[in-house]
Amino acid sequence: MIRDAGAHRRALREERISADLVIVGGGLAGTCAAITAARAGIRVVLVQDRPVLGGNASSEVRLWILGATSHMGNNNRWAREGGVIDEILVENMHRNPEGNPLVLDTIVLEKVVEEPNITLLLNTAAHDVEKSDPDTISAVRAFCSQNSTAYHLSAPLFCDASGDGVLGFLAGAAFRMGAESREEFGEGFAPDAAYGELLGHSLYFYSKDTGRPVRFTAPSFALKDIAKIPRFRDIKATDYGCRFWWFEYGGRMDTVHDTEKIKWELWRVAYGVWDYIKNSGKFPEAETMTLEWIGTIPGKRESRRFEGDVILTQQDLVEQRTHADAVSFGGWAMDLHPADGVYSELPGCTQWHSKGVYQIPYRTMYSRNIRNLFLTGRLISVSHVAFGSTRVMATCAHNGQAVGMAAALCREHGVQPREVPVGRLQQELLKAGQHIPGLQLADERDLARQASVRASSCFEFGEMAPGGEAEALDMSRAMLLPVPAGVIPAVTFILDVARRTVLEAEVRESLRPGNYTPERVIHRQRFELLAGKGQTVCVAGAARVQSPRYLSYVLLHNDDVFVHLSNLRVTGVLSLSQSMNKAVAKGTRQEPPVGSGIDSFEFWLPSRRPGGRNMAFHAEPPIRAFCARNVVSGVARPMDEPNAWVAAPEDPAPVLTLEWASPQTIGRIELVFDTDFDHPMESVLMGHPERDMPFCVKDYRILDSRGAVLAERKGNHQTRNSVKLAEPVTTTHIQVEILSTHGSPAAVFEVRCYAQ
């Protein structure tokens, strides 16, 4: 028993924790930074003011995780972010294709608690800082309401991943809030006062059908006049969750200090909309539906943005400028929303895409005036326009990984964030699965780089055999194919023709390496066709390309023509259509306003499985882009080439062999498989028909030169496999035997071997 007779005053229980890095904010950016830093060997304290991790992705808000893939709605192919966020998304697909936000909570939490170097403080809010000098933070003070404990958290390095930037604000870091004028950076897309300077908050609800009548009585504070919402006619009884992303408010308020006021208005909207659905009489299908969940905190889009040594702007995104210190990338549209949100007469968003992904430099990820403060998440150093793209969660998470690795290098070299050796940072990130467009891994410790590499077979793209079905050319369609330098292959398609017609075909390329927007025609043909089935057209010519790249073999729209399809799917090969995804675009061609500084171009999109089958074709000469040597190319996803070894579909036992001229001692082997980087893997609500990606290796084993089994894995679904041997082995070669995949021909992006 505890008895206390009373006191003049008491102090909270205080716990003092020291670490190498303190991260404030446990959204995806802070979480991925913490995991990356911990895996790199430094001690991390992760401070989160909510009971769960994940921020806007968590069950408290329930927004799907998205980034450069943009719902597969733009021309960014194979653009899903890599590293830790890829692990999370792939694991969520495997366990949770239904998109249950509670399951996602457990996956994110599991990733953190599995790291012994992380001290996790949930329900703990940072509220004060201590500084050793005007430019240096020495400690953070925080309070946990659940255990009534005050924390004193000291470290040489700090990271603000809090969204609103509470740590940077308290420390005196330079920041901005609101939109820059068009004149400041010359950004043609910068909004005017009528549109507004800030993006607001959103708050969602979930509903379900109970199978029996359910009554609903709205609370007194619910919005009564639904016509105050100009888009009220867009409301559907079957929509819920972040499909109501446009339930937005607060862009003309202080999105930090007015958050509680904004939340109450969003509650008014959400309960008012549900009252309208249930009681207006316009939705008879809602009679048996009930309100299952409504958010208690809003999802925030924008508040403070902090200044680094460089500010990323619209031009960096549109022109896809290169940066010597690139450590991450983005590719979501420049996506701005009217400040009046749900009450605006304007469309809920204005989205303009770049032709491809863009680099994000490291200099945006630390404070320009607080020397030991990293920045990550939505508060990195960008203009308001660029922020419209960089703010999405998968991009924020990818940036978080860069910061986590940079912090580890700071401790290793005894330097501050500004002084990190950037070349080393880039290479360490690439080794950890980070994708940085335009960069390749060149690890001197990797023994695989000195090995000769061969395989039992390599896929030669001579034919995609027809599968018995045909698809109408009701829109222009194309095959996106990797071709070597030299004369382009001739590609023959199989057609059914309803009536006499003329079919036009083209071969197109992108103007920029690493892009997939088919914007320049390098070959054009016309075919006069008679009615009949099983006809062939050969798209060929004398066109040449100077280096390996992807080309689009295009059959232009013709309603009288049907193209035969194949059942074969192969890593790094896609069929496309000149189409649109209304979630992120307003038409099949982007046509921005004159003077906006944004490009016009066509959207060429793949379809999601089980659709999106490849067109049947024959290539002459066969495309030989899937050789064994690709596994040591230093690039672990399709870019200008597939960068994968793919076994021939008929190979019954695919084997990849790495052989050295003299014995090597190997203690660890890193493997990278294909989990389809073109798939966005939206984390909640949407639902997916697959758990595991068809190209991914499922079962494999690794043998040494004596035939001894060094390791065996069954049931793999992840991109990256790190195989640490029980004891190092000395051998002249290793063999990776592919025992099974999840459906498509075996593919491996990368093999690396280390002494330890």
Side-chain angles (χ1 to χ4, degrees), residues 158-396:
F158 295 84
C159 174
D160 195 336
S162 65
D164 283 343
V166 62
L167 177 56
F169 178 80
L170 292 170
F175 74 91
R176 295 172 174 231
M177 193 167 175
E180 290 82 8
S181 68
R182 294 187 180 186
E183 291 71 31
E184 181 166 0
F185 296 122
E187 295 174 307
F189 187 36
D192 57 23
Y195 196 82
E197 292 195 7
L198 287 167
L199 284 72
H201 304 351
S202 284
L203 188 144
Y204 311 132
F205 65 79
Y206 270 52
S207 59
K208 71 175 181 181
D209 195 327
T210 67
R212 58 183 177 82
V214 177
R215 294 177 58 188
F216 175 72
T217 301
S220 61
F221 56 80
L223 180 68
K224 300 300 188 294
D225 184 3
I226 197 69
K228 288 185 176 180
I229 299 174
R231 289 182 60 183
F232 77 93
R233 293 181 182 84
D234 294 343
I235 294 169
K236 300 180 180 67
T238 52
D239 278 350
Y240 59 89
C242 47
R243 295 194 188 281
F244 283 128
W245 58 267
W246 53 275
F247 284 10
E248 180 176 354
Y249 184 71
R252 296 201 186 276
M253 301 170 72
D254 181 336
T255 53
V256 177
H257 299 106
D258 288 337
T259 287
E260 283 295 292
K261 295 178 184 177
I262 296 169
K263 176 196 70 179
W264 274 100
E265 188 61 30
L266 289 168
W267 268 345
R268 287 186 70 228
V269 169
Y271 283 109
V273 166
W274 186 246
D275 184 34
Y276 171 64
I277 290 172
K278 287 292 292 183
N279 298 321
S280 69
K282 297 182 179 181
F283 303 94
E285 66 273 26
E287 182 183 7
T288 56
M289 296 173 67
T290 189
L291 187 63
E292 182 182 30
W293 171 88
I294 191 164
T296 55
I297 63 169
K300 294 188 176 185
R301 286 184 177 85
E302 182 178 15
S303 51
R304 302 181 182 111
R305 293 170 284 112
F306 286 78
E307 295 183 359
D309 278 348
V310 68
I311 296 176
L312 205 68
T313 67
Q314 172 184 323
Q315 292 90 329
D316 290 292
L317 279 56
V318 173
E319 298 171 19
Q320 298 174 267
R321 292 176 176 174
T322 57
H323 303 275
D325 61 334
V327 291
S328 184
F329 73 96
W332 184 258
M334 289 169 287
D335 179 9
L336 301 184
H337 298 194
D340 296 313
V342 71
Y343 295 125
S344 176
E345 297 281 352
L346 298 169
C349 68
T350 303
Q351 296 179 320
W352 300 116
H353 298 264
S354 300
K355 290 181 179 178
V357 299
Y358 57 87
Q359 294 180 340
I360 302 178
Y362 174 61
R363 288 166 293 162
T364 64
M365 299 182 190
Y366 55 81
S367 168
R368 69 169 175 79
N369 68 307
I370 302 298
R371 59 198 299 265
N372 63 339
L373 177 62
F374 286 105
L375 310 168
T376 195
R378 60 183 172 87
L379 47 72
I380 65 168
S381 183
V382 295
S383 71
H384 174 74
V385 171
F387 168 87
S389 175
T390 63
R391 64 185 174 83
V392 290
M393 284 188 284
T395 304
C396 289

Side-chain angles (χ1 to χ4, degrees), residues 480-502:
L480 183 62
L481 300 177
V483 301
V487 178
I488 66 172
V491 174
T492 300
F493 296 98
I494 307 170
L495 309 175
D496 294 342
V497 183
R499 59 184 58 84
R500 184 172 182 172
T501 188
V502 174

Side-chain angles (χ1 to χ4, degrees), residues 42 105 188 203 469 605:
I42 67 173
D105 282 352
L203 188 144
E469 295 182 44
L605 311 180

Side-chain angles (χ1 to χ4, degrees), residues 245 249 320 353 525 601 610 693 702 734:
W245 58 267
Y249 184 71
Q320 298 174 267
H353 298 264
Q525 275 179 267
F601 58 89
M693 298 297 100
I702 304 174
I734 62 165

Side-chain angles (χ1 to χ4, degrees), residues 14-267:
E14 182 177 84
E15 185 173 343
R16 302 177 76 88
I17 303 174
S18 62
D20 298 309
L21 172 67
V22 172
I23 300 173
V24 175
L28 288 179
T31 296
C32 290
I35 293 169
T36 303
R39 289 178 178 176
I42 67 173
R43 296 170 300 127
V44 181
V45 176
L46 178 59
V47 184
Q48 166 70 328
D49 62 358
R50 305 303 307 168
V52 292
L53 295 168
N56 284 344
S58 75
S59 60
E60 288 195 310
V61 178
R62 306 191 180 194
L63 176 64
W64 43 42
I65 301 168
L66 279 172
T69 51
S70 194
H71 285 300
M72 293 169 66
N74 59 18
N75 294 343
N76 300 343
R77 303 279 62 84
W78 300 292
R80 193 176 73 245
E81 294 72 16
V84 178
I85 188 58
D86 175 65
E87 283 181 42
I88 291 170
L89 290 170
V90 171
E91 193 63 33
N92 188 63
M93 280 286 290
H94 178 69
R95 299 188 197 179
N96 184 30
E98 302 80 13
N100 185 330
L102 297 171
V103 175
L104 177 63
D105 282 352
T106 68
I107 292 169
V108 177
L109 183 63
E110 177 183 84
K111 291 290 182 185
V112 170
V113 299
E114 285 180 343
E115 297 299 331
N117 281 338
I118 298 177
T119 299
L120 175 61
L121 302 177
L122 294 174
N123 293 305
T124 303
H127 62 83
D128 198 9
V129 299
E130 296 178 1
K131 299 174 76 173
S132 57
D133 61 56
D135 301 331
T136 308
I137 305 169
S138 58
V140 169
R141 291 191 176 274
F143 172 68
C144 177
S145 61
Q146 297 300 296
N147 61 11
S148 197
T149 298
Y151 290 95
H152 183 275
L153 310 171
S154 59
L157 297 167
F158 295 84
C159 174
D160 195 336
S162 65
D164 283 343
V166 62
L167 177 56
F169 178 80
L170 292 170
F175 74 91
R176 295 172 174 231
M177 193 167 175
E180 290 82 8
S181 68
R182 294 187 180 186
E183 291 71 31
E184 181 166 0
F185 296 122
E187 295 174 307
F189 187 36
D192 57 23
Y195 196 82
E197 292 195 7
L198 287 167
L199 284 72
H201 304 351
S202 284
L203 188 144
Y204 311 132
F205 65 79
Y206 270 52
S207 59
K208 71 175 181 181
D209 195 327
T210 67
R212 58 183 177 82
V214 177
R215 294 177 58 188
F216 175 72
T217 301
S220 61
F221 56 80
L223 180 68
K224 300 300 188 294
D225 184 3
I226 197 69
K228 288 185 176 180
I229 299 174
R231 289 182 60 183
F232 77 93
R233 293 181 182 84
D234 294 343
I235 294 169
K236 300 180 180 67
T238 52
D239 278 350
Y240 59 89
C242 47
R243 295 194 188 281
F244 283 128
W245 58 267
W246 53 275
F247 284 10
E248 180 176 354
Y249 184 71
R252 296 201 186 276
M253 301 170 72
D254 181 336
T255 53
V256 177
H257 299 106
D258 288 337
T259 287
E260 283 295 292
K261 295 178 184 177
I262 296 169
K263 176 196 70 179
W264 274 100
E265 188 61 30
L266 289 168
W267 268 345

Side-chain angles (χ1 to χ4, degrees), residues 211 258 275 421 521 542 615 679 681:
D258 288 337
D275 184 34
V521 177
M615 293 189 280
H679 197 308
M681 296 187 173

